[in-house]
Amino acid sequence: MGMRMLVTRSLPLTESEMPGTGDAYGNETFDKLNSLTVQADGQNFEPSALPDGELRYIMEFGEPIDADQITRVLRQKFPNQFFHFDPLFASDSSEDLRFHALRFDLTSKALNTSDLFDVAYALREEFELVSCEPDAVTLPDVSIDDQAELDDLAAPADRHWCVKNIRATKAHNLAISRGMGASIGLPGMSLTSHDSLDDDAVELVPSNGAPVSETSIELKSGRAKAPGVDVVAMASVAVSRQSEEIVGVAPKAKIVSITDAFSNLDCNGAALARAIDHAVVAGCNIVMLRQSGFYCSVVEQAIKRAVASNIIVLAAAGDSAAPISYPARYPGVIAVGGSTHQDLPWEQSASGLSVSFLAPAEFVWAAKQSANRNDVAAQNGTALAVAVAAGGAALWLSHHGVEQLSEHAKALNCSLQELFRHAVRQTARRPNNWDGARYGAGIIDCEALIKLQPDQILKTDEPLTMFPDKTLEMASLVQECTDQLPKVREFDFTTFGSEISMLAYAHLKTDGAGHRVADDVENYRPSKHLQNAIKKSGDKALLQFLNQS
């Protein structure tokens, strides 16, 4: 995806050219960044790249801008720094041009998280932005399970138990299409080659505009060979071809692996937004997201556009028993939690009102990244649950037809995304003593799902998510952290939402035993802007949240 580059330059400014005068504290914040001299090693400012570790801000403007004028103001504010100010997306649409990336030739670690957000707020005030957020801020690493150390002996011996549990094997007998024609977008690292994914199972699509030959990805017989992580497990769970070892939920569907040679899409919001947009351009029917992080305005916008384009967007609720994470928490996203082979909620899955339903996430047999192309292993994670759900969506779309389902959604005045969510909730298996407030409608049932005719799908009065409004959703996150609900009308969650979510996940992530993870937490402290705003509000819940942070 090529990007237009605006060359930075230093020109004298007139008073009329200044979009805002800022404040004393804003100037102090800019001075702190301007004094930094740490440079990112080897940074060459590729115009289409959004590399990890780069100090970068995503600026959202409310109306068309004069980019040269903004660049001149930025040069005055940061005379000692080299930076680029570019549109984030290649499209010339007014919607896309709202978002610009301000990229510094510095590492993101040059500032602590408190200062990173203070600079963002100062930029927002200076340029009267709708939003401004630091990008590529990483959260503490929380590994609830080393996949290599999982005990396969504790897993069910039947390696097809997952597809049987969700009645996908019965659905295969009813729907001979088995997902044919449906494509599932998978943003993330490129896929390693595996025997369960034959030549037509995976299509590789770089999201950053660079040709495949420039992304350090080697293709052979239609397969991708590159450093991979659990995306190969996800792909196999969703679409692997029939074998004695494993079989996918939709064995005739296709994975569109959307990669970025420069970025880890797990911690890079802007690159993830581009990848989701690219899924729309690539014609994907479904997008499954395994990422787990905090709120990012541009990602939410990309998801909204995907849903408006008749794409079903599914996201893993998250692991480590922490609050439901983003992107699963965005309004309108279908959040999928984890279940076990015993039809119980997986104890390490995130849960809460935003979860739509569960799918297998514990001891799921899936392809394993290794030198041996046919290795499989029992693996854990809600990333696997969302892959199961994506396979179910592929079966549903392929069996009933995208056109017919889209027409029915239009008749009900809802999106295809919402229609699928209602269909799954209407047909899910609900074990005894089920806690719907935490685990949604039940466990996905693919047989019942495809048996349900489109005109039998009932549109309920329930909202797309329990928290359709950002302010209410952010207030709910604070409530999960403090057991108190803030007075939402008295605090600007729109401005501070990204930092609040970052602090919540940095400090509430737990290990499998429910213990808070202490590593690196001291590096995640509230900004001065947020501290002042919370103290000024006097809200008890927010003050408690501040003290906990």
Side-chain angles (χ1 to χ4, degrees):
M1 182 180 292
M3 298 286 293
R4 297 188 308 278
M5 182 180 293
L6 300 175
V7 179
T8 57
R9 49 189 173 168
S10 180
L11 296 174
L13 290 168
T14 66
E15 189 68 26
S16 62
E17 288 181 313
M18 297 291 289
T21 58
D23 56 26
Y25 182 65
N27 290 329
E28 176 186 330
T29 304
F30 290 150
D31 289 344
K32 183 179 294 186
L33 190 154
N34 200 48
S35 66
L36 296 173
T37 57
V38 180
Q39 292 192 347
D41 292 336
Q43 175 57 267
N44 57 6
F45 278 96
E46 288 285 344
S48 64
L50 293 171
D52 297 331
E54 175 184 77
L55 180 57
R56 179 172 61 246
Y57 290 91
I58 305 303
M59 303 168 69
E60 180 185 3
F61 295 85
E63 55 187 27
I65 63 167
D66 181 335
D68 286 332
Q69 176 183 318
I70 298 295
T71 301
R72 289 195 296 269
V73 178
L74 288 168
R75 175 53 59 202
Q76 185 192 55
K77 295 296 180 183
F78 306 110
N80 299 332
Q81 295 298 339
F82 183 81
F83 63 83
H84 274 221
F85 174 69
D86 305 317
L88 182 60
F89 300 104
S91 167
D92 288 328
S93 73
S94 58
E95 189 71 18
D96 283 340
L97 289 175
R98 286 170 46 198
F99 292 96
H100 280 62
L102 173 60
R103 304 170 53 204
F104 290 92
D105 190 15
L106 297 163
T107 68
S108 59
K109 293 183 179 179
L111 293 174
N112 59 38
T113 56
S114 173
D115 289 336
L116 280 172
F117 278 97
D118 274 328
V119 170
Y121 300 136
L123 286 168
R124 183 179 184 272
E125 294 165 5
E126 180 69 35
F127 294 99
E128 300 178 0
L129 303 172
V130 175
S131 68
C132 184
E133 297 158 354
D135 194 40
V137 178
T138 57
L139 291 174
D141 181 31
V142 182
S143 300
I144 60 172
D145 252 320
D146 183 348
Q147 298 286 13
E149 296 180 0
L150 284 181
D151 183 3
D152 284 355
L153 296 177
D158 182 358
R159 298 188 175 189
H160 290 189
W161 78 261
C162 173
V163 290
K164 294 176 181 177
N165 176 270
I166 62 166
R167 312 291 197 264
T169 47
K170 293 183 177 181
H172 293 168
N173 295 329
L174 294 171
I176 59 174
S177 60
R178 299 187 181 186
M180 182 177 291
S183 59
I184 303 170
L186 174 55
M189 299 289 285
S190 55
L191 291 171
T192 56
S193 108
H194 195 274
D195 287 349
S196 67
L197 302 169
D198 65 18
D199 292 355
D200 64 348
V202 177
E203 176 184 351
L204 190 71
V205 178
S207 70
N208 56 11
V212 171
S213 61
E214 294 181 16
T215 61
S216 302
I217 295 168
E218 178 186 349
L219 297 178
K220 183 177 182 181
S221 301
R223 297 189 182 97
K225 286 188 175 182
V229 285
D230 62 333
V231 288
V232 69
M234 292 179 68
S236 69
V237 166
V239 306
S240 65
R241 285 19 184 168
Q242 179 79 39
S243 74
E244 293 182 3
E245 294 290 330
I246 52 176
V247 61
V249 176
K252 291 187 179 180
K254 179 177 70 174
I255 291 290
V256 177
S257 177
I258 304 170
T259 66
D260 192 312
F262 304 98
S263 306
N264 175 4
L265 301 184
D266 289 348
C267 63
N268 189 326
L272 178 59
R274 277 191 190 173
I276 294 170
D277 256 25
H278 213 73
V280 178
V281 175
C284 294
N285 306 111
I286 303 153
V287 172
M288 58 176 174
L289 302 172
R290 67 189 179 111
Q291 287 75 13
S292 180
F294 53 92
Y295 178 85
C296 179
S297 296
V298 71
V299 174
E300 181 178 27
Q301 183 62 33
I303 289 171
K304 286 180 178 178
R305 289 197 294 192
V307 171
S309 300
N310 262 1
I311 293 177
I312 295 171
V313 182
L314 303 149
D319 302 341
S320 75
I324 298 167
S325 58
Y326 293 93
R329 205 177 181 101
Y330 289 116
V333 170
I334 296 176
V336 184
S339 61
T340 72
H341 66 282
Q342 298 169 322
D343 280 353
L344 298 173
W346 182 42
E347 63 180 8
Q348 293 176 341
S349 171
S351 60
L353 291 171
S354 295
V355 170
S356 289
F357 56 87
L358 304 190
E362 181 186 51
F363 295 131
V364 176
W365 289 94
K368 180 182 179 181
Q369 178 193 354
S370 72
N372 188 342
R373 295 188 355 170
N374 61 6
D375 272 0
V376 299
Q379 302 181 46
N380 291 354
T382 54
L384 301 172
V386 80
V388 171
L395 290 178
W396 183 69
L397 292 173
S398 178
H399 181 66
H400 293 294
V402 174
E403 185 175 348
Q404 181 183 357
L405 290 167
S406 298
E407 286 298 318
H408 188 61
K410 185 177 180 180
L412 291 178
N413 193 29
C414 70
S415 65
L416 185 62
Q417 162 103 337
E418 186 179 358
L419 188 70
F420 175 69
R421 192 173 73 92
H422 287 309
V424 175
R425 291 176 68 87
Q426 194 173 326
T427 56
R429 289 190 301 109
R430 198 176 180 95
N432 293 332
N433 303 315
W434 192 259
D435 186 349
R438 295 184 64 192
Y439 307 119
I443 299 170
I444 188 172
D445 184 330
C446 291
E447 179 189 21
L449 178 64
I450 66 168
K451 279 185 175 180
L452 183 69
Q453 295 303 308
D455 60 6
Q456 295 175 321
I457 301 173
L458 302 176
K459 181 186 174 185
T460 64
D461 292 331
E462 62 183 327
L464 286 175
T465 174
M466 195 60 64
F467 306 106
D469 177 79
K470 178 181 175 182
T471 297
L472 293 175
E473 193 281 317
M474 285 293 172
S476 76
L477 181 56
V478 173
Q479 185 179 28
E480 289 180 42
C481 300
T482 64
D483 294 324
Q484 296 186 71
L485 184 66
K487 297 176 181 178
V488 296
R489 294 183 180 179
E490 300 178 12
F491 189 78
D492 185 5
F493 284 99
T494 299
T495 296
F496 296 105
S498 182
E499 185 180 7
I500 286 175
S501 64
M502 183 273 294
L503 291 170
Y505 294 118
H507 288 264
L508 289 181
K509 274 186 172 289
T510 62
D511 61 19
H515 302 119
R516 191 159 124 177
V517 176
D519 293 349
D520 294 333
V521 163
E522 292 301 318
N523 295 327
Y524 298 84
R525 291 302 177 198
S527 67
K528 292 181 179 179
H529 278 80
L530 179 60
Q531 292 181 52
N532 292 339
I534 288 178
K535 291 174 182 177
K536 184 177 180 180
S537 76
D539 186 276
K540 292 182 179 179
L542 289 168
L543 287 169
Q544 181 180 334
F545 178 83
L546 185 63
N547 290 333
Q548 291 175 189
S549 300

